[in-house]
Amino acid sequence: MNYVEKANQIITSLGKIIIGKQETVTYSIITLLSEGHLLLEDVPGVGKTTLAKSIAAVTGCEFSRIQFTPDTLPSDVTGITMYQMDKGSFTYIKGSVMSNIVLADEINRTSPKTQASLLEAMEEKQVTVDGTTHKLPAPFMVIATQNPSTYLGTYHLPEAQMDRFFMRLSLGYPSNDAEKEMAHLYLTNENWKRADAITDATEIAHMQKEVSQVFVHEDIISYILGILDKTRNHEYIKLGISPRAMLALIRGSQARAYLTGRDHVIPEDTINLLKPMLLHRMILTNDAYLGQMTNEKILDAIRCSVKVPLL
């Protein structure tokens, strides 16, 4: 079995746990293969935490969980330096972020200061504690969950942190048939949410390297730049898409092509990822809200206005 087949086997295995959400599962693995971070935003009880734990289990990666609350401290995330009397020296005590896959559960229920403790880790894959830098293990992925910001006890994530999330996904309520299948599994198989590892961290890192080698035509890059430029010069958009997002969209397109077994990106790869990768990065003007415009409507209009390359 080659690595592409293993990557698709991961998706198949997750699909047996997260019933009826094949697209969301696929996007999650695209994020992992792209060395990105995932934000799962939805109402309680639809499987956000289950998806995060299952990804770690199926991939055989080291997993840690941070349950964010209003009194969670930055040191709980990054770790602390503690004086060891028996050794007569300071020792770094690892924080929860020192793992391959980190579940930042209910990230918007903690203070902005604690949220910010993840910024360095997500961007540079390292943490700095008391002036000393500590590298994070590879691969490294943050899967954050949050309830909608209209819920009690939640904080808005700052723009800088939102931009560091490769994708924002919502699971949504399952269909009637999917929910019925979940009920039958619940009644007949007590282990239906238990996932066996089919790969490991070393193989995931190898898949990520193969993804980075997928060919991207110059016309695809120009297409992406055309869309991003329009978000930066749009009358209804206050904050357009960043260069970081541009690079992420290229890598995501490579990952989608990789999963289909192609060694090159086609326009469909990029178009398929525009909404999950760009919508959460766009901030609209007050006039846009007054005119009942939404991020999705504006992005659809921008996409239709940019010529798709013929490849």
Side-chain angles (χ1 to χ4, degrees):
M1 181 183 297
N2 61 32
Y3 287 112
V4 175
E5 291 173 344
K6 271 203 172 182
N8 281 286
Q9 189 179 349
I10 291 171
I11 295 173
T12 301
S13 297
L14 289 171
K16 296 176 181 178
I17 301 169
I18 310 299
I19 309 297
K21 299 296 178 182
Q22 187 70 17
E23 184 179 62
T24 303
V25 167
T26 301
Y27 283 151
S28 300
I29 299 307
I30 287 175
T31 302
L32 173 62
L33 296 181
S34 302
E35 303 181 56
H37 308 290
L38 182 63
L39 178 62
L40 299 173
E41 180 181 279
D42 219 319
V43 297
V46 294
K48 301 186 297 294
T49 302
T50 299
L51 175 58
K53 293 170 68 175
S54 299
I55 289 173
V58 170
T59 57
C61 290
E62 185 181 353
F63 175 78
S64 67
R65 175 175 179 169
I66 310 169
Q67 186 63 55
F68 282 106
T69 59
D71 60 351
T72 302
L73 299 174
S75 59
D76 297 328
V77 178
T78 60
I80 59 174
T81 302
M82 185 175 292
Y83 184 74
Q84 302 287 331
M85 294 189 64
D86 55 335
K87 298 179 180 178
S89 61
F90 288 93
T91 302
Y92 171 63
I93 308 298
K94 292 181 179 180
S96 301
V97 78
M98 282 289 177
S99 191
N100 294 124
I101 295 181
V102 178
L103 170 58
D105 209 11
E106 297 190 295
I107 189 173
N108 62 336
R109 289 196 180 277
T110 195
S111 67
K113 182 177 181 180
T114 302
Q115 290 173 8
S117 65
L118 278 171
L119 292 177
E120 182 184 13
M122 293 173 69
E123 181 66 18
E124 302 174 48
K125 298 181 181 178
Q126 64 181 35
V127 293
T128 302
V129 180
D130 293 332
T132 302
T133 299
H134 306 273
K135 290 289 184 182
L136 297 172
F140 174 71
M141 179 185 189
V142 173
I143 303 178
T145 71
Q146 68 171 8
N147 296 321
S149 57
T150 53
Y151 278 46
L152 290 174
T154 60
Y155 299 83
H156 283 285
L157 292 182
E159 292 84 353
Q161 188 146 31
M162 291 295 287
D163 194 46
R164 281 169 168 78
F165 282 107
F166 191 85
M167 284 194 198
R168 181 181 66 180
L169 302 175
S170 295
L171 284 164
Y173 289 115
S175 65
N176 187 268
D177 289 340
E179 205 156 11
K180 189 177 292 185
E181 183 180 348
M182 288 169 59
H184 287 305
L185 287 170
Y186 176 74
L187 292 171
T188 60
N189 182 6
E190 62 180 17
N191 295 323
W192 70 279
K193 286 187 178 181
R194 184 173 298 171
D196 295 324
I198 58 178
T199 184
D200 57 32
T202 301
E203 290 189 336
I204 293 295
H206 188 87
M207 292 177 197
Q208 292 174 337
K209 184 177 180 180
E210 287 189 341
V211 164
S212 68
Q213 296 169 349
V214 173
F215 175 72
V216 183
H217 195 277
E218 189 70 26
D219 288 350
I220 296 288
I221 297 175
S222 297
Y223 175 65
I224 293 173
L225 292 176
I227 290 175
L228 268 56
D229 183 64
K230 286 184 178 293
T231 69
R232 298 166 186 169
N233 299 282
H234 197 285
E235 60 175 327
Y236 286 139
I237 300 178
K238 181 166 61 176
L239 181 65
I241 305 303
S242 67
R244 179 194 287 122
M246 178 270 294
L247 298 175
L249 188 53
I250 292 173
R251 184 52 51 86
S253 302
Q254 290 176 300
R256 188 178 186 276
Y258 178 80
L259 286 173
T260 61
R262 281 183 278 105
D263 62 356
H264 63 283
V265 172
I266 61 175
E268 182 185 349
D269 295 321
T270 301
I271 293 170
N272 182 266
L273 297 175
L274 290 178
K275 289 183 180 180
M277 292 193 65
L278 301 186
L279 288 178
H280 66 286
R281 292 176 157 104
M282 293 165 50
I283 297 180
L284 305 187
T285 63
N286 292 332
D287 288 341
Y289 295 116
L290 290 173
Q292 296 185 328
M293 301 297 292
T294 65
N295 291 39
E296 191 164 351
K297 286 180 182 178
I298 293 173
L299 185 58
D300 280 338
I302 289 174
R303 180 179 60 81
C304 292
S305 69
V306 179
K307 185 179 180 181
V308 178
L310 299 175
L311 294 176

